[in-house]
Amino acid sequence: MKKKRKSAGIITIGNEILSGKTIDTNSNFICNQLFNIGVSCEEVCTIKDEKLKIIEKVNIFRSKYDYVFTSGGIGPTHDDITSDSIAQAFGQKLLMNEEARKRLVEHYSDDILTKARLKMAFLPEQASLIDNPVSVAPGFFVENVFVFPGVPKILQIMVKEFVKSLDGGIRYYKKTVSTKLSEGIIGSYVEKIQKKFSYLEIGSYPYFKKKSFGVSLIIKGDDKSKVIEASMEIYSYIKSIKGEPKIF
Amino acid sequence: MKKKRKSAGIITIGNEILSGKTIDTNSNFICNQLFNIGVSCEEVCTIKDEKLKIIEKVNIFRSKYDYVFTSGGIGPTHDDITSDSIAQAFGQKLLMNEEARKRLVEHYSDDILTKARLKMAFLPEQASLIDNPVSVAPGFFVENVFVFPGVPKILQIMVKEFVKSLDGGIRYYKKTVSTKLSEGIIGSYVEKIQKKFSYLEIGSYPYFKKKSFGVSLIIKGDDKSKVIEASMEIYSYIKSIKGEPKIF
């Protein structure tokens, strides 16, 4: 039997993103990792550090998608309220997690294991830890909700490792055909070819470089031979109208 | 009477973002512009190029927020379905907009005004145009939903100009106090000061540079004198514990 593709949603939490101070690169990193294992990311959202908003969004996402990733809000300060919110979303208590505390105690000497840092050991009662090889304080998951810190360097290392353990379902195959012609010129043709290969996803992405512009067409799907067939057909057409296609 | 702060939500539309190919920088640009005029961006989301998903999200956002921005999906290709989706979200027809068509005709000579390009003149029947000084094809708005293209260079010029026409409500005041101490050290103090100045928003953002790390505290609110008072109190405290504060 054919495996079903898994779906995912990402929630990034942080006022600094919504005020424009910070560009969210975490969701892009997670999207890439998910794409590589064949999980379809269906939605990314960014919301404020507000408990009710986090609870609401987590509950919507966890019923809608197979996997939910959150980033941000599990550090030692007053605005780090993600762990508490996740606990409430699942109707669980927020408790001192012994293993998390042990790790913090081992990492910090007594005089710098402040009350603020110890806060990072309080997790939903049924949380399982996700290792943090960079700064010790762990991420965690409850059922299908995976909770990561917001600092990109730490999140990336943790997610990269964690994603290996997920069941990714079927992989994507992908080909790119680029041309120096514009979308306005090839648009009608691409619409036709999309109809012909309706079970593939053909995306059209204009690019602008210093001295040139053009379009990259990305052909994506489950069936490798069909992806190649469609790509070659597009390549031949663009060549026939002198569009200088490249395929890769 | 005191003015109420306006809220906004941003919807970016595009499979290329969800597959990790592209980092969404458009929402960051819009967030910055909104912050500058005192509009609070409450939520950013990215969804796929699928009509039902766009309709659903636009209808949720337009009832929830004062202003809704969308980016992406108004070009000439088959996967550009935003205009049609917005029309359906408002229960309007998608019709040839005479003014938009005129602009395209003036810009493109007859032989390059392809059927695909002409598609960009089909807009919801009650759409008002938003000027596009870069590539002519206009954006548009229907009621409180503002529709922009996905190409960052074009979006930025259009949004920058358009935002000037919005009623921004009250401006934000903001101060930053940075220190070389970590969040774990100052976390408890910051929690106390947040409670004291509960009507301000105090955010704590760790930073990591090549040879140093530390925290930036951002103090934000409507009342300039209170923002300054809280910032000076934080500055003095950090100085007293030798945290080498900077204020700006």
Side-chain angles (χ1 to χ4, degrees):
Chain A
M1 215 189 85
K2 210 177 160 188
K3 276 174 87 179
K4 204 179 155 282
R5 189 179 297 292
K6 301 277 187 181
S7 65
I10 302 171
I11 304 169
T12 63
I13 297 158
N15 295 356
E16 71 279 21
I17 298 167
L18 294 167
S19 70
K21 177 182 179 287
T22 308
I23 292 191
D24 164 36
T25 56
N26 286 339
S27 61
N28 176 258
F29 184 85
I30 299 169
C31 285
N32 261 308
Q33 296 292 314
L34 292 174
F35 185 86
N36 290 343
I37 61 163
V39 171
S40 172
C41 183
E42 297 290 320
E43 186 172 354
V44 172
C45 80
T46 306
I47 51 172
K48 290 194 169 179
D49 305 310
E50 287 173 22
K51 212 173 275 185
L52 290 179
K53 288 186 179 168
I54 300 172
I55 294 169
E56 185 195 9
K57 196 59 82 175
V58 166
N59 279 334
I60 293 172
F61 270 45
R62 75 190 178 95
S63 69
K64 213 167 171 182
Y65 304 119
D66 295 317
Y67 304 133
V68 180
F69 289 74
T70 78
S71 109
I74 60 169
T77 57
H78 70 284
D79 54 357
D80 289 309
I81 55 170
T82 300
S83 303
D84 196 10
S85 308
I86 302 279
Q88 287 190 44
F90 281 95
Q92 295 183 14
K93 285 182 192 148
L94 190 79
L95 297 176
M96 166 82 79
N97 181 298
E98 264 314 310
E99 173 61 24
R101 195 189 66 86
K102 216 180 103 194
R103 293 186 192 182
L104 290 166
V105 167
E106 274 169 21
H107 183 73
Y108 294 107
S109 61
D110 272 359
D111 57 325
I112 59 168
L113 182 58
T114 56
K115 192 182 146 208
R117 282 190 178 125
L118 211 54
K119 179 172 179 269
M120 297 188 286
F122 282 85
L123 304 179
E125 51 185 330
Q126 282 164 46
S128 306
L129 300 190
I130 299 175
D131 292 342
N132 171 354
V134 187
S135 57
V136 179
F140 64 89
F141 64 93
V142 183
E143 295 178 16
N144 62 338
V145 178
F146 316 136
V147 180
F148 292 88
V151 177
K153 276 184 199 172
I154 304 177
L155 171 129
Q156 290 177 15
I157 290 173
M158 291 172 70
V159 167
K160 206 165 181 173
E161 199 53 38
F162 181 75
V163 157
K164 290 179 192 166
S165 68
L166 290 185
D167 177 11
I170 36 175
R171 304 277 155 141
Y172 288 112
Y173 296 99
K174 194 179 88 170
K175 278 272 172 196
T176 303
V177 180
S178 71
T179 169
K180 289 180 179 171
L181 298 174
S182 69
E183 284 194 313
I185 297 295
I186 60 166
S188 299
Y189 169 74
V190 177
E191 187 171 357
K192 266 180 239 155
I193 197 96
Q194 172 72 81
K195 276 185 190 144
K196 180 173 170 187
F197 293 93
S198 59
Y199 42 86
L200 300 178
E201 186 186 310
I202 303 179
S204 175
Y205 306 109
Y207 65 80
F208 298 87
K209 292 179 185 162
K210 274 240 160 89
K211 289 184 179 173
S212 67
F213 66 94
V215 179
S216 291
L217 297 168
I218 296 187
I219 301 96
K220 207 173 82 175
D222 307 340
D223 184 335
K224 192 177 178 180
S225 65
K226 287 293 172 192
V227 169
I228 291 172
E229 188 188 330
S231 306
M232 287 315 299
E233 196 166 322
I234 293 171
Y235 179 88
S236 303
Y237 171 77
I238 292 175
K239 202 172 175 191
S240 76
I241 58 166
K242 303 194 191 330
E244 300 176 41
K246 282 181 194 157
I247 189 162
F248 46 92
Chain B
M1 216 187 87
K2 210 178 164 189
K3 277 172 90 178
K4 201 180 158 282
R5 188 178 299 290
K6 300 278 187 181
S7 66
I10 301 171
I11 305 169
T12 61
I13 297 157
N15 296 355
E16 71 278 20
I17 298 166
L18 294 166
S19 71
K21 179 184 177 284
T22 308
I23 293 190
D24 165 34
T25 56
N26 286 339
S27 61
N28 175 259
F29 184 86
I30 300 170
C31 285
N32 261 309
Q33 296 292 315
L34 293 174
F35 185 88
N36 290 343
I37 61 164
V39 171
S40 172
C41 182
E42 297 289 320
E43 184 172 356
V44 172
C45 80
T46 305
I47 51 171
K48 290 196 170 179
D49 304 312
E50 287 172 24
K51 215 173 272 184
L52 290 178
K53 289 186 179 167
I54 300 172
I55 295 169
E56 185 195 11
K57 196 61 80 174
V58 165
N59 278 334
I60 293 171
F61 271 44
R62 75 189 177 96
S63 69
K64 212 165 171 183
Y65 305 119
D66 295 318
Y67 304 133
V68 180
F69 289 74
T70 78
S71 108
I74 61 168
T77 58
H78 69 284
D79 55 357
D80 290 309
I81 54 170
T82 301
S83 303
D84 196 9
S85 309
I86 303 279
Q88 288 189 43
F90 281 96
Q92 294 183 13
K93 287 183 190 141
L94 189 78
L95 297 175
M96 165 80 81
N97 181 297
E98 264 314 309
E99 175 61 23
R101 194 188 68 86
K102 214 179 105 194
R103 292 187 193 182
L104 290 166
V105 168
E106 273 169 20
H107 183 72
Y108 293 107
S109 60
D110 272 356
D111 55 325
I112 58 167
L113 182 58
T114 56
K115 194 185 146 204
R117 283 191 178 125
L118 211 53
K119 180 172 177 270
M120 299 189 285
F122 282 84
L123 304 179
E125 52 187 328
Q126 283 165 45
S128 306
L129 301 190
I130 299 175
D131 292 341
N132 171 352
V134 187
S135 56
V136 178
F140 64 88
F141 65 93
V142 182
E143 295 177 16
N144 62 338
V145 178
F146 315 137
V147 180
F148 291 89
V151 177
K153 276 185 197 170
I154 304 176
L155 172 130
Q156 289 175 15
I157 291 174
M158 290 172 72
V159 166
K160 205 164 184 177
E161 199 53 41
F162 181 75
V163 156
K164 290 179 193 166
S165 68
L166 291 184
D167 177 11
I170 33 175
R171 304 277 155 140
Y172 288 111
Y173 295 99
K174 195 179 87 170
K175 279 271 173 198
T176 302
V177 181
S178 71
T179 169
K180 289 179 180 174
L181 298 174
S182 69
E183 285 194 314
I185 298 295
I186 60 167
S188 300
Y189 169 75
V190 176
E191 188 172 358
K192 265 181 240 155
I193 197 95
Q194 172 70 82
K195 277 186 189 143
K196 179 172 172 189
F197 293 93
S198 59
Y199 42 88
L200 300 178
E201 184 186 313
I202 303 180
S204 175
Y205 306 108
Y207 65 82
F208 299 87
K209 291 178 186 164
K210 274 239 159 84
K211 291 184 179 173
S212 67
F213 66 94
V215 180
S216 291
L217 298 168
I218 297 188
I219 302 98
K220 206 173 84 175
D222 306 341
D223 183 335
K224 191 175 177 180
S225 66
K226 287 292 171 191
V227 170
I228 292 173
E229 188 187 331
S231 306
M232 288 314 300
E233 196 165 321
I234 293 171
Y235 179 89
S236 303
Y237 171 77
I238 291 176
K239 202 171 176 188
S240 76
I241 58 167
K242 303 196 192 326
E244 302 177 42
K246 282 180 192 158
I247 189 163
F248 45 93

